[in-house]
Every structure is written in C-alpha cells, then in structure tokens.
Amino acid sequence: MSNIRLFHVNAFSQQPFGGNPAVVVLGPALPDASQLAMAAEFNLSETAFLVQLGRAHYQLRWFTPTVEVDLCGHGTLAAAHVLWQTGAVAAHETIRFETRSGELLARREGEWIWLDFPRIALTPLTLDPAYAAAIGCQPRQTLAAGAKFLLELASEEEIRTLSPDFHALRALPGRGLIVTAPSSRADDDFVSRYFAPWVGVDEDPVTGSNHCALAPFWAERLGRQQLRARQVSSRGGDLRLDLRGERVLMAGQGLTLWQGEWLLPPTPLGASV
C-alpha cells in the first residue's frame, strides 16, 4: 500500500455542488510524473499535494490535468481545510505552506479560512482584439496580471452571458484570461470569471489566485481595502478580501465531499518502477 490519503473538497463554498472542487493528496513525497499523472486521473482544475515538513508546516504543490502551477488559491484553501478537519493541525494553529510562490500562511476564523498571498501587479496591456472576439465581449480596458490577461467589462450581466470560443482561444498565445465587472448585488463589490484553456481548464469555477490581482484593481476603483467578491461560474463561489500593501488576504469556506485512499503504487504508465 502507498499510504496516500485522498480528500475531495469544494473550496470557496459550503454547497455540495458549488465552489471549486479540488483533490487534496496527503502522504509521502512523490515523483513529479506521478503527481501529474494523478492530477490527470482526477481531471479537476487542481490537485493539491501535501507533504509534512514539521508541526503545522507542509510542502504544497498544485497540478492541473496538464501542468504544475505556481499559485493556486482554491487548492491551498482545500489543503488547509483538510489539515484542520482531520486534526493534523490544531484549530488555533497557523499553517505554513512551502510553495513555488514562497511561504504562504493559512489561519482559521470560525468557518472561514484566511489565506495570506502575494499581491499581483497590474500593468497596461494592448491586447489583440482577437481575444475579446473569442470570448464575445467589448472590454473597457485590458491589463496584464502577471502572465494572465485581465479584461474589465461593463456589467455583471455581460460577464454571466459570455460563451467563449475555446478553440479560438487555444489558437492564440496565453496562460489565462480574467473578466471582471461591478456586482449587481449589494452583497458583493465585484464579480469575475476565468478562462484558461491553455492549461487544460476551459473555465475554472472559483480562482483564488486571480483575486491577488482583482483585489488591488477594485480597491483602487472603490476606495476600500476590504472587499467581497463572487466568481459567477455555473458553480459559483464567494470570497472576502483584505488588501494589505503587497499582500492580499483572502477568505473562503470549504466542504469535504468524500475521502479515501490511493490503493496502488502511484507509478504512471510507461514510467520505470
């Protein structure tokens, strides 16, 4: 037996069919090829791999079905949720994650999990009109958010009714495309959706890492550091945000739907044993 435990968590929601689902893998360190093969097997937008380094201290890596990524909000929230739920970490303890984006922290506040992430800088970008045509919108402005593109649209209704041509998007160079607009509801400040067919995820249901750019974007426009956001995919999810200089604190909730074990050696087909 490989002694690998699996947890399926809906992040940024407490609904069985809401939020962003992630599989959390808790166990020994695995070869990169095994992690990628397992992520492809689960076929969710993100699989989070946890390896304990010390007390409330873990290595954390994130894989889509096709690539490893540098930063993932919902995978981090799901991982923290599992560690507290299983008692691996006491409720009052802050969890330290060692990741490709440096050390990330997670703490509990009632039913909410707060993550401490790096702010993503925004820079002006003149984007080829083919991108807007592929997703069917007329952006007010376009910006670069790290390796991703951020498009501001006029309304929540426009965001909700988008029906992108993913074949056309894949023909263009890119990493991910964020669309955002003011919320039409008093409970939220802004809404967003996220399309990333370049990394095997046509639409990600709720994307925590995008809010490292969206928080400063909307804080400047609304004149407030504390914000509430909703990602309006078909599943949907809610976030609380607090901009603290070069850090973005984001909070969400989680729900574990199932747990189990990986029963065979995690060696992908064609790999040497």
Side-chain angles (χ1 to χ4, degrees), residues 16 51 53 76 91 113 163 172 184 231 245 253-254 265:
V51 177
L53 302 176
T76 306
I113 295 172
S163 183
L172 300 167
S184 63
Q231 195 155 329
Q253 298 175 300

PDB file of all heavy atoms in Angstrom, residues 16 51 53 76 91 113 163 172 184 231 245 253-254 265:
ATOM      1  N   PRO A  16     -22.701  21.337  -1.729  1.00  0.00           N
ATOM      2  CA  PRO A  16     -22.190  20.113  -2.352  1.00  0.00           C
ATOM      3  C   PRO A  16     -21.839  20.268  -3.821  1.00  0.00           C
ATOM      4  O   PRO A  16     -20.946  19.598  -4.319  1.00  0.00           O
ATOM      5  CB  PRO A  16     -23.348  19.116  -2.159  1.00  0.00           C
ATOM      6  CG  PRO A  16     -24.101  19.625  -0.989  1.00  0.00           C
ATOM      7  CD  PRO A  16     -23.996  21.128  -1.057  1.00  0.00           C
ATOM      8  N   VAL A  51       2.916  17.385   1.708  1.00  0.00           N
ATOM      9  CA  VAL A  51       3.929  16.569   2.382  1.00  0.00           C
ATOM     10  C   VAL A  51       4.309  17.293   3.665  1.00  0.00           C
ATOM     11  O   VAL A  51       4.695  18.469   3.628  1.00  0.00           O
ATOM     12  CB  VAL A  51       5.173  16.364   1.500  1.00  0.00           C
ATOM     13  CG1 VAL A  51       6.242  15.578   2.269  1.00  0.00           C
ATOM     14  CG2 VAL A  51       4.813  15.638   0.208  1.00  0.00           C
ATOM     15  N   LEU A  53       6.372  18.711   6.649  1.00  0.00           N
ATOM     16  CA  LEU A  53       7.760  19.083   6.910  1.00  0.00           C
ATOM     17  C   LEU A  53       8.034  19.262   8.391  1.00  0.00           C
ATOM     18  O   LEU A  53       9.174  19.158   8.838  1.00  0.00           O
ATOM     19  CB  LEU A  53       8.109  20.380   6.171  1.00  0.00           C
ATOM     20  CG  LEU A  53       7.930  20.369   4.653  1.00  0.00           C
ATOM     21  CD1 LEU A  53       8.223  21.752   4.086  1.00  0.00           C
ATOM     22  CD2 LEU A  53       8.816  19.323   3.998  1.00  0.00           C
ATOM     23  N   THR A  76      -5.039  25.687  -2.131  1.00  0.00           N
ATOM     24  CA  THR A  76      -4.480  25.999  -0.818  1.00  0.00           C
ATOM     25  C   THR A  76      -5.559  25.981   0.251  1.00  0.00           C
ATOM     26  O   THR A  76      -5.367  25.439   1.349  1.00  0.00           O
ATOM     27  CB  THR A  76      -3.787  27.378  -0.850  1.00  0.00           C
ATOM     28  OG1 THR A  76      -2.835  27.397  -1.911  1.00  0.00           O
ATOM     29  CG2 THR A  76      -3.081  27.665   0.465  1.00  0.00           C
ATOM     30  N   ALA A  91      -6.874  23.673  15.606  1.00  0.00           N
ATOM     31  CA  ALA A  91      -7.680  24.761  15.047  1.00  0.00           C
ATOM     32  C   ALA A  91      -7.054  26.129  15.269  1.00  0.00           C
ATOM     33  O   ALA A  91      -7.227  27.036  14.446  1.00  0.00           O
ATOM     34  CB  ALA A  91      -9.080  24.721  15.640  1.00  0.00           C
ATOM     35  N   ILE A 113     -11.622  30.395   6.313  1.00  0.00           N
ATOM     36  CA  ILE A 113     -10.181  30.159   6.229  1.00  0.00           C
ATOM     37  C   ILE A 113      -9.553  31.357   5.526  1.00  0.00           C
ATOM     38  O   ILE A 113      -9.934  31.694   4.392  1.00  0.00           O
ATOM     39  CB  ILE A 113      -9.880  28.870   5.448  1.00  0.00           C
ATOM     40  CG1 ILE A 113     -10.425  27.654   6.211  1.00  0.00           C
ATOM     41  CG2 ILE A 113      -8.375  28.731   5.203  1.00  0.00           C
ATOM     42  CD1 ILE A 113     -10.341  26.352   5.421  1.00  0.00           C
ATOM     43  N   SER A 163     -20.006  33.328 -23.630  1.00  0.00           N
ATOM     44  CA  SER A 163     -19.901  31.938 -24.079  1.00  0.00           C
ATOM     45  C   SER A 163     -18.671  31.833 -24.984  1.00  0.00           C
ATOM     46  O   SER A 163     -18.776  31.906 -26.210  1.00  0.00           O
ATOM     47  CB  SER A 163     -21.163  31.515 -24.826  1.00  0.00           C
ATOM     48  OG  SER A 163     -21.095  30.162 -25.204  1.00  0.00           O
ATOM     49  N   LEU A 172      -4.599  31.158 -29.872  1.00  0.00           N
ATOM     50  CA  LEU A 172      -3.852  32.369 -29.513  1.00  0.00           C
ATOM     51  C   LEU A 172      -2.888  32.046 -28.378  1.00  0.00           C
ATOM     52  O   LEU A 172      -3.151  31.149 -27.581  1.00  0.00           O
ATOM     53  CB  LEU A 172      -4.816  33.470 -29.062  1.00  0.00           C
ATOM     54  CG  LEU A 172      -5.860  33.919 -30.084  1.00  0.00           C
ATOM     55  CD1 LEU A 172      -6.941  34.767 -29.397  1.00  0.00           C
ATOM     56  CD2 LEU A 172      -5.194  34.718 -31.197  1.00  0.00           C
ATOM     57  N   SER A 184     -23.909  43.377  -9.468  1.00  0.00           N
ATOM     58  CA  SER A 184     -25.247  43.960  -9.496  1.00  0.00           C
ATOM     59  C   SER A 184     -25.960  43.802  -8.161  1.00  0.00           C
ATOM     60  O   SER A 184     -27.079  44.289  -8.003  1.00  0.00           O
ATOM     61  CB  SER A 184     -26.081  43.288 -10.601  1.00  0.00           C
ATOM     62  OG  SER A 184     -26.252  41.902 -10.318  1.00  0.00           O
ATOM     63  N   GLN A 231     -17.267  34.809  -7.795  1.00  0.00           N
ATOM     64  CA  GLN A 231     -16.945  34.318  -9.125  1.00  0.00           C
ATOM     65  C   GLN A 231     -18.202  33.631  -9.657  1.00  0.00           C
ATOM     66  O   GLN A 231     -18.716  32.681  -9.057  1.00  0.00           O
ATOM     67  CB  GLN A 231     -15.763  33.350  -9.093  1.00  0.00           C
ATOM     68  CG  GLN A 231     -15.174  33.095 -10.483  1.00  0.00           C
ATOM     69  CD  GLN A 231     -13.724  32.669 -10.432  1.00  0.00           C
ATOM     70  OE1 GLN A 231     -12.981  33.074  -9.529  1.00  0.00           O
ATOM     71  NE2 GLN A 231     -13.296  31.869 -11.381  1.00  0.00           N
ATOM     72  N   GLY A 245      -1.103  46.222   1.607  1.00  0.00           N
ATOM     73  CA  GLY A 245       0.147  46.559   0.940  1.00  0.00           C
ATOM     74  C   GLY A 245       0.458  45.583  -0.173  1.00  0.00           C
ATOM     75  O   GLY A 245      -0.284  45.470  -1.140  1.00  0.00           O
ATOM     76  N   GLN A 253     -14.700  29.414   2.458  1.00  0.00           N
ATOM     77  CA  GLN A 253     -15.099  28.250   3.219  1.00  0.00           C
ATOM     78  C   GLN A 253     -14.898  26.997   2.383  1.00  0.00           C
ATOM     79  O   GLN A 253     -14.684  27.066   1.169  1.00  0.00           O
ATOM     80  CB  GLN A 253     -16.557  28.392   3.654  1.00  0.00           C
ATOM     81  CG  GLN A 253     -16.788  29.592   4.562  1.00  0.00           C
ATOM     82  CD  GLN A 253     -18.244  29.795   4.902  1.00  0.00           C
ATOM     83  OE1 GLN A 253     -19.068  29.997   4.029  1.00  0.00           O
ATOM     84  NE2 GLN A 253     -18.569  29.730   6.179  1.00  0.00           N
ATOM     85  N   GLY A 254     -14.943  25.847   3.043  1.00  0.00           N
ATOM     86  CA  GLY A 254     -14.735  24.594   2.333  1.00  0.00           C
ATOM     87  C   GLY A 254     -15.668  23.506   2.825  1.00  0.00           C
ATOM     88  O   GLY A 254     -16.189  23.573   3.944  1.00  0.00           O
ATOM     89  N   PRO A 265       0.617   1.450  -6.139  1.00  0.00           N
ATOM     90  CA  PRO A 265       1.804   2.307  -6.278  1.00  0.00           C
ATOM     91  C   PRO A 265       1.527   3.399  -7.313  1.00  0.00           C
ATOM     92  O   PRO A 265       1.049   3.098  -8.414  1.00  0.00           O
ATOM     93  CB  PRO A 265       2.887   1.336  -6.767  1.00  0.00           C
ATOM     94  CG  PRO A 265       2.447   0.001  -6.276  1.00  0.00           C
ATOM     95  CD  PRO A 265       0.943   0.022  -6.345  1.00  0.00           C
TER      96      PRO A 265
END
